[in-house]
């Protein structure tokens, strides 16, 4: 019998607000390097290498993150089978339904290995071995959930109870929501319980049948959204109206808690969902004093601390059990045992409509990135970096003028149909109402300083005429534009 194809389905949703100020809605934790040289998304994809019958992965992400996902795949030489764009968040059950329908489109019926993009697994070899153990069960029609062998009485995880305690693979007895401390300690001592990792392995047709049985409205919405999908460069954009009809349910609630086909497979591979700064401290390598130090940090007399600098120098002296995280516009200082409370701070910032709640000063775009340096009344300063061979859209602004100074590389500037080359230490001026485009014709990044002035400096003051990245024109003020 020929082994089944295993198609990874990587779910890239989630904002990871407990890892604020690093993780934010515009650039959440799965796209950061938190546990090594690669990002969590890249680690998720690379740890699959070596699995028998491995197919190209299917990625499902927020449409605002599509270019980040594509770029991070390109950096590690992985070409996804498809990148599907969710217009709105609807939890994991609609995403799984979309994955099943997409996988069955070409007439094949692969095994789908559903993974989150933001987990840490320290022992990828043990992970692959466990997946291989689950393949036979999935081939026989079981819906396999990966249960993490618990190492503590955690109250922040859901649990899976197995019928048998002494076997790696067992039928599922029940799912349990996050327990209180006493119950979690009982689960730990019992031996039948594992943490619910949110990772699954099943045959596409089997899961789709169970979804149609227990959540037909999800399948109906997903089927319509996929049928009306539009091609956008390397992406598949799901129809917003159809996808929005899907109830927001986790696949655990929609199917796994109801089906009689569920099995739990124990996974012991150094797993963590890095759901807080304390969880990240627990999984990271520490120095002899128990400190995790990343970036430009000087520490003296510190113990059991997490110290991270993204831009400026961070100095810690004589501190214990603290988390200190510095970014371009915010600094977090918290006791490690209070790190779960970071989410409440994010909610306060959102209520205040503070920019720090959702976005960094550095904003990534398909052509490169820009960084807000400083601003005042009717003016602001940004730095811009354009990748080799990339171009911004042909655009104009109603309310602002721009002065560009090239500090590295060579820029191609089009202004009302006239093209000029701007070299290092040269500048050009874009008056308001001027139709213009910035490009990089060279082999190295172009870096420039942009000084804006005018009565309105919002990113939504863009009228786009042409764009290499298929982005639509959004004319309404208050909507986030993409340069």
């Amino acid at each position: 019998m020929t082994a089944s194809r295993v198609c990874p389905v990587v779910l890239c949703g989630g904002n990871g607000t407990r890892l604020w100020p690093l993780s934010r809605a515009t650039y959440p934790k799965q796209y950061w390097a938190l546990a090594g040289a690669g990002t969590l998304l890249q680690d998720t994809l690379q740890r699959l290498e070596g699995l028998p019958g491995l197919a190209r992965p299917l990625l499902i992400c927020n449409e605002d993150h599509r270019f980040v996902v594509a770029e991070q795949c390109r950096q590690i030489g992985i070409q996804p089978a498809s990148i599907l764009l969710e217009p709105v968040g609807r939890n994991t059950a609609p995403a799984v339904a979309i994955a099943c329908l997409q996988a069955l489109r070409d007439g094949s019926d692969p095994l789908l290995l559903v993974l989150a993009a933001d987990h840490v697994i320290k022992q990828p070899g043990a992970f692959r071995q466990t997946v291989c153990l689950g393949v036979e069960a999935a081939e026989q029609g079981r819906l396999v959930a990966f249960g993490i062998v618990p190492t503590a009485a955690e109250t922040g995880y859901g649990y899976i109870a197995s019928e048998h305690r002494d076997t790696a693979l067992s039928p599922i007895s029940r799912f349990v929501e996050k327990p209180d401390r006493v119950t979690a300690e009982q689960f730990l001592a019992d031996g039948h319980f594992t943490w619910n990792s949110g990772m699954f392995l099943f045959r596409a047709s089997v899961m789709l049948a169970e979804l149609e049985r227990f959540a037909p409205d999800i399948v109906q919405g997903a089927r319509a959204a996929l049928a009306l999908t539009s091609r956008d460069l390397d992406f598949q954009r799901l129809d917003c109206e159809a996808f929005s009809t899907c109830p927001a349910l986790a696949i655990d609630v929609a199917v796994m808690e109801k089906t009689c086909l569920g099995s739990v497979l124990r996974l012991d591979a150094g797993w963590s969902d890095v759901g807080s700064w304390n969880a990240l401290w627990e999984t990271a390598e520490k120095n002899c004093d128990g400190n995790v130090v990343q970036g430009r940090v000087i520490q003296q007399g510190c113990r059991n601390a997490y110290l991270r600098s993204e831009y400026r120098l961070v100095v810690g002296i004589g501190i214990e059990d603290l988390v200190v995280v510095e970014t371009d516009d915010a600094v977090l200082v918290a006791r490690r045992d209070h790190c779960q409370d970071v989410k409440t701070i994010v909610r306060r910032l959102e209520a205040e409509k503070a920019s720090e709640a959702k976005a960094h000063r550095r904003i990534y775009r398909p052509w490169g990135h820009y960084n807000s340096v400083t601003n005042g009344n009717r003016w602001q300063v940004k730095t811009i970096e354009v990748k080799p061979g990339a171009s911004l859209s042909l655009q104009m602004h109603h309310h602002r003028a721009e002065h560009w100074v090239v500090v590295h590389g060579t820029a191609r500037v089009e202004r009302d149909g006239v093209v000029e080359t701007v070299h290092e230490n040269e500048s050009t001026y874009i008056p308001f109402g001027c139709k213009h485009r910035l490009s990089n014709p060279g082999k190295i990044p172009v870096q420039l300083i942009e000084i804006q002035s005018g009565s309105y400096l919002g990113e939504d003051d863009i009228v786009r005429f042409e764009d290499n990245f298929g982005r639509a024109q959004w004319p309404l003020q208050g909507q986030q534009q993409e340069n």
Side-chain angles (χ1 to χ4, degrees):
M1 179 177 177
T2 304
S4 298
R5 283 193 311 132
V6 177
C7 175
V9 178
V10 182
L11 308 181
C12 303
N15 292 334
T17 53
R18 289 186 178 89
L19 289 182
W20 184 91
L22 197 65
S23 177
R24 306 188 194 182
T26 60
Y27 209 83
K29 67 176 182 177
Q30 54 266 33
Y31 308 127
W32 288 92
L34 296 177
T39 68
L40 296 184
L41 169 61
Q42 290 172 330
D43 290 347
T44 299
L45 294 169
Q46 289 181 311
R47 75 170 63 102
L48 299 170
E49 295 177 6
L51 275 176
L54 186 66
R56 288 195 295 156
L58 171 67
L59 280 70
I60 303 177
C61 72
N62 183 316
E63 65 178 44
D64 292 338
H65 302 148
R66 62 196 185 279
F67 295 113
V68 176
V69 170
E71 174 63 14
Q72 292 198 357
C73 290
R74 186 199 64 78
Q75 288 172 354
I76 59 174
I78 288 180
Q79 184 178 2
S82 185
I83 301 177
L84 286 153
L85 307 182
E86 289 183 319
V88 291
R90 280 295 182 265
N91 215 313
T92 57
V96 168
I98 289 288
C100 292
L101 292 166
Q102 176 75 6
L104 293 165
R105 269 185 154 185
D106 64 359
S108 64
D109 189 8
L111 302 184
L112 300 185
L113 176 61
V114 177
L115 306 169
D118 58 356
H119 291 176
V120 169
I121 294 180
K122 288 187 171 182
Q123 302 164 33
F127 168 75
R128 290 190 293 270
Q129 290 175 1
T130 305
V131 171
C132 289
L133 290 176
V135 165
E136 183 177 355
E139 287 179 329
Q140 295 173 357
R142 302 298 293 180
L143 307 179
V144 180
F146 292 88
I148 306 302
V149 177
T151 56
E154 286 287 346
T155 60
Y157 298 142
Y159 285 72
I160 304 175
S162 60
E163 291 186 6
H164 311 304
R165 61 181 295 175
D166 298 322
T167 59
L169 183 71
S170 168
I172 292 173
S173 172
R174 62 189 173 108
F175 282 77
V176 183
E177 291 299 316
K178 298 173 183 178
D180 57 28
R181 174 62 58 183
V182 173
T183 305
E185 289 174 350
Q186 293 172 349
F187 287 172
L188 184 64
D190 182 275
H192 284 85
F193 292 86
T194 54
W195 296 335
N196 183 5
S197 70
M199 298 186 291
F200 303 94
L201 177 65
F202 46 77
R203 191 170 293 285
S205 61
V206 176
M207 175 58 82
L208 185 61
E210 293 299 271
L211 276 163
E212 288 178 323
R213 178 183 178 192
F214 296 113
D217 46 354
I218 288 179
V219 177
Q220 181 179 354
R223 198 184 299 275
L226 194 61
L228 296 172
T229 189
S230 59
R231 199 74 192 179
D232 180 0
L233 299 177
D234 295 328
F235 312 106
Q236 285 182 254
R237 189 183 295 274
L238 297 170
D239 181 75
C240 183
E241 183 177 354
F243 191 73
S244 297
T245 66
C246 294
L249 285 177
I251 191 63
D252 315 56
V253 176
V255 171
M256 297 301 295
E257 292 180 0
K258 301 178 177 69
T259 183
C260 61
L261 301 178
S263 293
V264 58
L265 179 59
R266 291 174 177 265
L267 174 63
D268 188 2
W271 174 92
S272 173
D273 70 345
V274 287
S276 69
W277 287 111
N278 187 53
L280 190 57
W281 174 84
E282 290 175 341
T283 62
E285 292 187 11
K286 307 171 185 65
N287 64 18
C288 59
D289 295 317
N291 299 315
V292 177
V293 177
Q294 295 191 352
R296 194 176 172 215
V297 174
I298 297 175
Q299 56 90 23
Q300 180 176 304
C302 301
R303 294 178 59 83
N304 301 324
Y306 185 96
L307 305 170
R308 184 182 186 113
S309 164
E310 293 296 313
Y311 295 90
R312 293 160 291 185
L313 173 67
V314 169
V315 178
I317 301 175
I319 62 174
E320 295 188 16
D321 300 319
L322 290 184
V323 168
V324 180
V325 180
E326 178 272 343
T327 67
D328 55 358
D329 61 352
V331 178
L332 169 70
V333 181
R335 280 179 44 176
R336 287 198 296 106
D337 57 356
H338 282 232
C339 284
Q340 292 288 350
D341 297 334
V342 170
K343 192 171 185 177
T344 65
I345 300 300
V346 176
R347 284 199 290 265
R348 286 178 56 181
L349 291 171
E350 289 174 343
E352 297 170 4
K353 300 188 184 309
S355 61
E356 295 89 348
K358 293 187 175 182
H360 292 272
R361 287 183 176 176
R362 173 172 287 191
I363 303 296
Y364 291 88
R365 292 291 181 250
W367 45 259
H369 59 78
Y370 68 85
N371 190 74
S372 297
V373 178
T374 186
N375 63 78
N377 184 27
R378 296 175 60 93
W379 64 269
Q380 67 177 330
V381 178
K382 295 180 178 180
T383 60
I384 296 177
E385 182 171 306
V386 184
K387 301 174 185 176
S391 296
L392 281 68
S393 59
L394 180 64
Q395 59 186 254
M396 61 86 73
H397 312 295
H398 288 294
H399 305 290
R400 73 174 185 248
E402 298 172 342
H403 190 170
W404 296 340
V405 181
V406 176
V407 295
H408 181 73
T410 299
R412 181 183 184 273
V413 178
E414 179 180 344
R415 297 187 305 165
D416 285 334
V418 178
V419 177
E420 64 176 322
T421 300
V422 185
H423 300 279
E424 291 182 9
N425 301 318
E426 295 180 349
S427 63
T428 190
Y429 176 69
I430 311 294
F432 70 87
C434 173
K435 188 184 293 187
H436 63 280
R437 190 202 303 262
L438 172 64
S439 304
N440 179 1
K443 302 292 186 182
I444 61 174
V446 165
Q447 297 171 351
L448 56 91
I449 299 170
E450 177 181 85
I451 301 97
Q452 299 180 358
S453 61
S455 59
Y456 180 76
L457 305 176
E459 282 300 307
D460 52 343
D461 180 24
I462 296 177
V463 178
R464 183 176 291 114
F465 300 97
E466 296 176 8
D467 183 60
N468 293 338
F469 304 103
R471 295 169 295 177
Q473 169 62 33
W474 301 334
L476 299 179
Q477 289 195 357
Q479 292 181 299
Q480 181 65 32
Q481 268 287 16
E482 298 182 352
N483 274 343

